[in-house]
Each structure stands twice: as C-alpha cells, then as structure tokens.
Amino acid sequence: MKKRILVVSSANLDFVQRMRRVPRAGETVTESATYSYVPGGKGANSAVTFARLGDDCVFCTRLGADGNGNRLLSVYEKEGIDTRFILRDKKVPTGLASILVEEDGANRIIVYPGANNAITVPDVEDALTCYPDAVYLQFEIPDKATLAAARFAHEKNIPVFVDAGPARVDFPLSELGRMEIFSPNETEAKVYTGIDPNGADNCLRAAIKLSTMVDAKYIVIKIGSRGAFIYDGKYYHIVPAISVPAVDTTAAGDTFTAALTHFYMQGMDIERATYLANCAAAIGVSREGAYTSIPTLKEVLAFAEEHPQR
Ligand code: ATP
Ligand code: RIB
C-alpha cells in the first residue's frame, strides 16, 4: 500500500568533478576528466528514492529564488514529489555542494547550505498538516527544525526515521525522542560514539553506545561495502552488501536509509528491508552522481532476484 512519507531535510545542486585522485594541500590537479551539475542534497536524494520506490513523498525544504532553485523544483515535480511545502527564499541562494569523486568511487563533499539554513519551525509545522504515515529526518538543516519535526510527529503518533548524517558532534540526539530506525554511517557512528565500527565487535560496541544515546527500536549502521549492521537492543545481525563495481558512492547512504524506511513501512521485517536497501544502494554505487544514480522499485526488485538474499 502506498505510504505518505514526509521528508524534512535539505536540497542542493551538486557540482561534481571526477578525477583520478584529489589534490593534496598546495597542489593543482588538471586531469579532471569530467564535471557536471546534478540535483543532490541529502533530503532531495531521499525524497527521490521514496518517489521512485512508489511512495507518496512530501518534501519540506527551502530553495533560493534563483535559477538553481527553479531547476531543482522542476526535477522534483517531474519525479512526482509533492512540492507544496518547498518554500522559495528571496534572501539566500539555493544550497550548493562541491563534490570530488576519485577513480575508486570515493567522494569528498563540501556543502554551502544556503536556503537550507533558513528552514524554520513554522515551515515544518505547516508540512506536518499533510497527514504523513512517517516522518524522515537528516541533520543537514537547522537543528531546531529537525527537532521540531520529530516533536510534532510524536504529538501525532507518527513514526520517525532518522538518517544521522552529516556527522554533527554537537547534535542533541537525546532530544529526537522515540524513533523506529536510527541510521548513521561509519563516520557518523564514530563521531557520536568515539568507536570506529571497523569490524563486527566494534560495530556492536558502537551500537550499544548509541543505544544509550538515542531511543530507537533499531539502530542500523551503514558499513559501506560490508553492508549494514542491525542492532535491536539485544541481538545484532550483519546484512552483507551486494558486490558491484563502485563507480560513485555519492548518495549511497541517502538511498540506503530511504529504501530501508520504504520497505520497513511496507511491513517487511528489518532484515528483509535492510537486504532490499542494500540492493537499492548497490545499484546506486554502480552509477554516477546522486539523484541520477537512484533506482526505481522495478530495478531494485529485479536486482534482488538476480542476487538472492543469503
Ligand atoms: P555516502 O555518504 O557516500 O552517501 P554513506 O557513507 O552514508 O554514503 P555507506 O556506508 O558508504 O554510506 O553506504 C551506504 C550503503 O550503500 C551500504 O550500507 C551498502 O548497502 C551500500 N554500499 C556502499 N558502498 C558499497 C559498495 N562498494 N558495494 C556495494 N554496496 C555498497
Ligand atoms: O549524501 C550525498 C549528498 O550530500 C550530496 O548530494 C550533497 O548535496 C550532500 O548533501
């Protein structure tokens, strides 16, 4: 059944340069093979994932009243995203991310937040009037807006899902209240706990420490090409990634957590939902770009059939 997912998060235009290797300090690299401007931003990548997987996705964010904002808005409309809670800000430009991608697909990202930083509590309060089945949050907009979204959702008994990126050492995690799923990547897990989840033991140590910091039914740590680590407060389980040639990992995490939320909201158990999220993210890493790499439901299900769950 189609679910209505409210994403309260960021939108950027991504300026992406692909190169053999990134320059060291003081060095100039002139061998950049390609560059492109593609829609991105953690929130927008997740909103596109929900829409392509068949959800009724409502996106609450801010764009500048500029050409980049016009371009992004028309992309969201073409994707079938409900844009009525996207405000245009006349004072600040649309968010911009500069992304350097190396030959092995690894990326480095610098974000100019722009209009994302202008999202207010009343923006979020308005958006909650859409009667969502779930609220989906990340940490790329002002904390007070993220926390207000969680609070309003709790007041209405709406389940909350949190993709805990980008890493924010000072984010007041305990104020998020009850969550269905809290999902950091390796960097974020390390920033919040001080433990590098570099093996199963350390994943468990990090997850146990996270469970003292957040109130979540499931903690799901994204562990890159190793897959995902699930912890429910008692048991843990690793769901391995599906091996693919990594072209560009940009937005792999956004695609993963949105897909996990989608399949979980469809009533699947956490392991099956995580496996299908691994499939969606694997397709994403095998393609270039953020928004451009996100698969449709049909693609995810076909990929899952070719790579059965072990
Ligand atoms: P990004 O910040 O690049 O969007 P992330 O660091 O938040 O991503 P990762 O842990 O790197 O998140 O990746 C998210 C998910 O993508 C993983 O849990 C896994 O399912 C999938 N994934 C990542 N890298 C690979 C890979 N090399 N091969 C297959 N799947 C991958
Ligand atoms: O997670 C990837 C995203 O992070 C990029 O699209 C970029 O815009 C930054 O928000």
Side-chain angles (χ1 to χ4, degrees):
M1 200 181 128
K2 213 179 178 89
K3 298 286 182 188
R4 175 168 293 173
I5 314 289
L6 172 63
V7 175
V8 180
S9 188
S10 57
N12 296 324
L13 186 68
D14 289 353
F15 171 53
V16 186
Q17 283 187 286
R18 301 180 64 85
M19 60 207 64
R20 198 167 58 76
R21 63 169 183 83
V22 296
R24 288 182 285 269
E27 187 189 16
T28 303
V29 166
T30 54
E31 58 191 46
S32 176
T34 59
Y35 78 86
S36 54
Y37 288 93
V38 284
K42 293 191 185 301
N45 297 336
S46 304
V48 169
T49 306
F50 285 120
R52 290 191 184 169
L53 293 179
D55 288 310
D56 170 8
C57 180
V58 183
F59 188 21
C60 169
T61 194
R62 278 200 187 212
L63 300 168
D66 50 21
N68 289 347
N70 294 344
R71 180 174 165 191
L72 294 182
L73 191 62
S74 73
V75 166
Y76 307 152
E77 280 163 357
K78 275 195 204 116
E79 291 289 336
I81 293 168
D82 182 336
T83 60
R84 72 195 132 127
F85 299 106
I86 299 182
L87 296 181
R88 306 299 298 271
D89 198 303
K90 292 204 174 76
K91 294 196 191 113
V92 266
T94 298
L96 182 80
S98 301
I99 305 186
L100 305 182
V101 185
E102 286 185 315
E103 228 168 29
D104 65 357
N107 63 57
R108 286 170 178 75
I109 304 179
I110 304 165
V111 174
Y112 163 75
N116 294 303
N117 266 358
I119 299 173
T120 65
V121 172
D123 293 358
V124 177
E125 196 168 11
D126 278 355
L128 259 295
T129 59
C130 76
Y131 294 103
D133 296 302
V135 168
Y136 186 88
L137 306 171
Q138 291 148 319
F139 299 161
E140 212 170 38
I141 62 171
D143 295 355
K144 58 180 186 319
T146 306
L147 292 171
R151 204 170 54 244
F152 295 139
H154 295 315
E155 281 168 14
K156 295 173 192 260
N157 282 325
I158 299 164
V160 173
F161 294 80
V162 174
D163 176 341
R168 292 273 321 285
V169 73
D170 54 345
F171 191 91
L173 294 174
S174 63
E175 291 178 33
L176 284 166
R178 181 70 175 165
M179 290 166 270
E180 284 297 303
I181 296 177
F182 178 80
S183 176
N185 68 12
E186 289 167 283
T187 311
E188 290 139 16
K190 186 173 175 195
V191 165
Y192 302 132
T193 65
I195 300 163
D196 188 348
N198 50 14
D201 286 355
N202 281 344
C203 277
L204 182 58
R205 287 177 59 227
I208 290 172
K209 183 137 187 213
L210 279 169
S211 69
T212 65
M213 306 165 81
V214 297
D215 179 11
K217 184 168 181 190
Y218 296 108
I219 289 170
V220 180
I221 306 178
K222 296 171 264 191
I223 48 178
S225 58
R226 291 179 294 147
F229 182 96
I230 306 169
Y231 181 63
D232 67 1
K234 201 167 172 192
Y235 299 106
Y236 77 87
H237 188 79
I238 295 176
V239 184
I242 294 101
S243 176
V244 288
V247 173
D248 182 353
T249 64
T250 310
D254 308 332
T255 304
F256 174 92
T257 308
L260 173 63
T261 301
H262 165 82
F263 290 112
Y264 182 84
M265 284 297 293
Q266 287 299 311
M268 288 181 198
D269 66 54
I270 191 74
E271 286 176 21
R272 181 73 185 163
T274 302
Y275 158 73
L276 288 171
N278 276 340
C279 290
I283 299 173
V285 304
S286 68
R287 298 174 177 169
E288 274 186 32
Y291 142 92
T292 41
S293 72
I294 298 166
T296 61
L297 181 63
K298 202 170 155 197
E299 287 173 322
V300 175
L301 297 180
F303 186 89
E305 231 177 88
E306 284 164 26
H307 304 83
Q309 190 174 1
R310 281 179 275 141

